[in-house]
Amino acid sequence: MSTTDTPLTDTTTDSGADRVTDTLIIGAGQAGLATAHLLTQAGRDCLVVDGAGRIGDNWRHQYDSLTLFTPNGVNGLPGLAFPGDPWAFAGKDEVGDYLETYAEQLALPVRLGTRVGHLGRDGSGFRAETSTGVVRSQNVVIATGTFGRTPSVPSCASELDPAILQLHSSAYRRPGQLREGPVLVVGAAHSGCDIALELAPTRETTLVGRDTGQVPVSWDSPAFKAVMTVLVQAQRHVLTRRTPMGRRQRREVLAHGGQMLRVKRSHLLEAGVSRTPARVVGTVGGQPQLDDGTVLEVANVIWATGFRQDYSWLDLPVLDESGWPRESRGVAQDVDGVFFCGLAYQFAFASMLLHGVGRDAAYLTSRILARTPVKR
């Protein structure tokens, strides 16, 4: 069964009629799909909408060499184990295919090619205006990504010499995209480190950005399996919003990203990557300038500077002054019936990873079931 059709398993036949469902889930990534499975398993009607043409495309469109940091054995969502060697690391296409299979095998109600343009109140429920019609619901789960999907690039990017090739990390696929000459990678979290390491063998590479720390054990170490077992448990049960350590790290993750995992400082050094914690603050003569006064002569800039949430379609008072949801474990604090799933550190560090999504989805499902009990 192909998931390129729209809708996938939504049974709506009259495109002119409003779709009415108990719970609308916006986003068909791992968070939205896991929530949909748990709701349907509980006998509840729901509908997942997503603007993509195929489930898993948000993963497939990442850079070619991307692989997960956690092994297959812990990456399954509720109802379906992740395939393959439990201690192997899946690539981005394998993750995309797994999500597609998940939706197919569990017969989840997904409507693809459907973007939400406006979500607001509708009496005691909610009304979503989408590209394929109006959807009315009693509950809404916003599962649009961990950090958002709108690339974040500093304003000084527009001041760079037009001869410099600029790519956000979301548009980077492989070294062959770049022009000959030096490259500057801005942002030293996971994707920035991955990309810098990949580019270093073929061109002079500079990596700038805050050092977020690193897990000291190498992924090819004999001790790796034992360390990963402990690390997964810590990500789920120690590094949470309930512990001082978790709350402290949450602030760091939201502001700067997580610790270096597979790629270490030593790997970057051995590959010849020039690294500095300085920040890009402007330009001189069209070339990037760092806050230490250094001006770099480069032919390429990769902006591994993350993403921002775009909630411009959300006409509900559920965001704080910074634009981040006001929520507790994904439950909106100010509007009853609105939920978020898949946020960074929604409950624990693991919330950002496949192995933590199921627990968050289960908690939200329990709250939805309690809020709108089955009518008898």
Side-chain angles (χ1 to χ4, degrees), residues 122-342:
D122 179 40
S124 61
F126 304 95
R127 183 180 189 272
E129 298 174 9
T130 82
S131 56
T132 59
V134 172
V135 181
R136 301 177 189 276
S137 64
Q138 290 302 305
N139 306 286
V140 176
V141 178
I142 300 170
T144 51
T146 299
F147 289 102
R149 294 176 182 171
T150 302
S152 178
V153 175
S155 58
C156 65
S158 62
E159 303 169 7
L160 290 175
D161 189 326
I164 297 175
L165 175 66
Q166 299 186 59
L167 291 174
H168 188 266
S169 58
S170 60
Y172 172 80
R173 298 292 178 267
R174 61 195 68 89
Q177 288 176 277
L178 274 60
R179 295 173 181 166
E180 293 296 325
V183 59
L184 170 64
V185 180
V186 183
H190 298 313
S191 59
C193 291
D194 278 354
I195 293 169
L197 187 65
E198 181 172 67
L199 294 173
T202 58
R203 63 200 71 229
E204 180 183 338
T205 302
T206 301
L207 174 65
V208 302
R210 178 182 176 130
D211 188 326
T212 59
Q214 66 177 19
V215 174
V217 175
S218 176
W219 260 223
D220 58 5
S221 165
F224 169 75
K225 290 184 178 181
V227 171
M228 178 54 70
T229 300
V230 173
L231 187 61
V232 166
Q233 292 303 308
Q235 291 170 345
R236 288 178 57 83
H237 303 294
V238 179
L239 299 174
T240 76
R241 289 165 72 166
R242 290 177 176 172
T243 68
M245 183 186 302
R247 290 192 293 272
R248 184 167 57 251
Q249 191 190 61
R250 180 175 183 266
R251 290 192 293 270
E252 289 295 311
V253 167
L254 294 184
H256 306 292
Q259 290 181 309
M260 298 169 66
L261 295 173
R262 181 180 291 107
V263 176
K264 312 295 185 187
R265 300 186 187 103
S266 60
H267 296 149
L268 296 169
L269 181 62
E270 291 165 3
V273 175
S274 175
R275 185 174 184 187
T276 171
R279 297 182 302 112
V280 175
V281 293
T283 63
V284 173
Q287 296 292 331
Q289 181 182 33
L290 307 183
D291 60 5
D292 63 4
T294 302
V295 177
L296 299 170
E297 298 285 335
V298 298
N300 308 274
V301 175
I302 306 295
W303 298 105
T305 43
F307 300 81
R308 57 182 174 82
Q309 291 281 11
D310 179 6
Y311 290 123
S312 58
W313 48 271
L314 184 55
D315 187 16
L316 294 166
V318 293
L319 307 178
D320 64 19
E321 296 76 11
S322 71
W324 190 260
R326 281 191 298 269
E327 49 77 37
S328 176
R329 292 198 68 175
V331 180
Q333 295 180 354
D334 302 311
V335 179
D336 188 30
V338 175
F339 306 86
F340 294 84
C341 196

Side-chain angles (χ1 to χ4, degrees), residues 4-7 49-54 111-115 130-132:
T4 58
D5 297 330
T6 304
V49 298
D50 195 286
R54 183 182 178 191
R111 184 190 289 182
L112 297 170
T114 301
R115 297 190 178 278
T130 82
S131 56
T132 59

